[in-house]
Amino acid sequence: MLRRATGRDAATICVKLWPMKAEQQSIELAKGADASAIADLSRDVIEQGLGWSWTAPRVLKALRDDATNVIVARRHPGLDDVAGFAIMKYGDDTAHIVLFAVDAAYRRCGIGSALMSWLETTARTAGINTIALEARSGNHEARAFYKQNGFNEIGVRVSYYRGVEDAVRFEKSLLAEL
């Protein structure tokens, strides 16, 4: 049985796998060359049991959309190795995090928090008041992460994930943080 590293064990693993300090983390806009890695991570982490819909061509379409940001966390700055990513679409007052994932080997290393910080800073700069997202109801780790980052559960969308699983809806007001 595998045991999830916690506390000091997790910190040691993070230093070995992600040997960067928070201020050195490489969070940047994704490039076309990242589409396959993003699609694979979506398939393996987010879309398990649902069928694969976020293929490389769909990610490329998001990259070309002026109302969407696609960002990546790189394992090594300057290389094409993606440890995590996020896709966020902007409306007039609300932004929607469409996809958000960190490779399981790099969780609890600050990558998710760094991605979220980048998204929130960019949303504020764009004049966005609220960030919304959905998480699979059974993904307790993701739900805890979003709550830890100031998101509130606001409802449930029944059978949202292709009729297989419910979604928990989250929102975070950026106005409260001004």
Side-chain angles (χ1 to χ4, degrees):
M1 181 174 174
L2 291 175
R3 180 178 67 85
R4 178 173 272 305
T6 58
R8 185 177 292 192
D9 292 339
T12 300
I13 291 168
C14 286
V15 168
K16 289 179 181 175
L17 293 176
W18 187 261
M20 304 165 79
K21 295 179 180 167
E23 63 273 9
Q24 296 172 314
Q25 291 181 350
S26 181
I27 307 296
E28 57 192 56
L29 290 171
K31 303 178 289 196
D34 297 319
S36 290
I38 291 168
D40 290 348
L41 195 53
S42 178
R43 178 195 61 217
D44 297 343
V45 174
I46 300 170
E47 298 183 86
Q48 284 183 335
L50 299 175
W52 190 22
S53 68
W54 277 90
T55 59
R58 188 170 180 194
V59 173
L60 284 169
K61 185 177 178 182
L63 281 165
R64 290 189 295 266
D65 181 4
D66 290 339
T68 302
N69 275 339
V70 182
I71 60 171
V72 294
R74 299 203 184 280
R75 293 179 182 121
H76 302 93
L79 298 180
D80 290 333
D81 49 355
V82 175
F85 76 93
I87 299 176
M88 187 161 74
K89 187 159 185 69
Y90 294 80
D92 291 334
D93 298 320
T94 301
H96 182 253
I97 297 175
V98 179
L99 292 176
F100 189 99
V102 175
D103 187 312
Y106 294 90
R107 291 188 190 146
R108 303 203 186 278
C109 295
I111 295 169
S113 295
L115 287 164
M116 189 61 72
S117 176
W118 193 101
L119 292 173
E120 289 180 14
T121 299
T122 304
R124 277 189 203 90
T125 301
I128 296 296
N129 298 329
T130 305
I131 297 178
L133 62 90
E134 292 81 26
R136 290 173 77 161
S137 61
N139 190 342
H140 301 290
E141 187 177 9
R143 290 172 65 180
F145 171 80
Y146 295 130
K147 287 178 185 178
Q148 181 182 16
N149 280 276
F151 284 82
N152 297 305
E153 290 189 9
I154 61 163
V156 174
R157 290 190 172 166
V158 177
S159 299
Y160 180 77
Y161 292 102
R162 297 181 192 88
V164 174
E165 188 170 357
D166 296 345
V168 177
R169 297 178 56 221
F170 286 87
E171 279 189 359
K172 180 175 183 175
S173 173
L174 300 179
L175 295 176
E177 298 178 8
L178 293 177

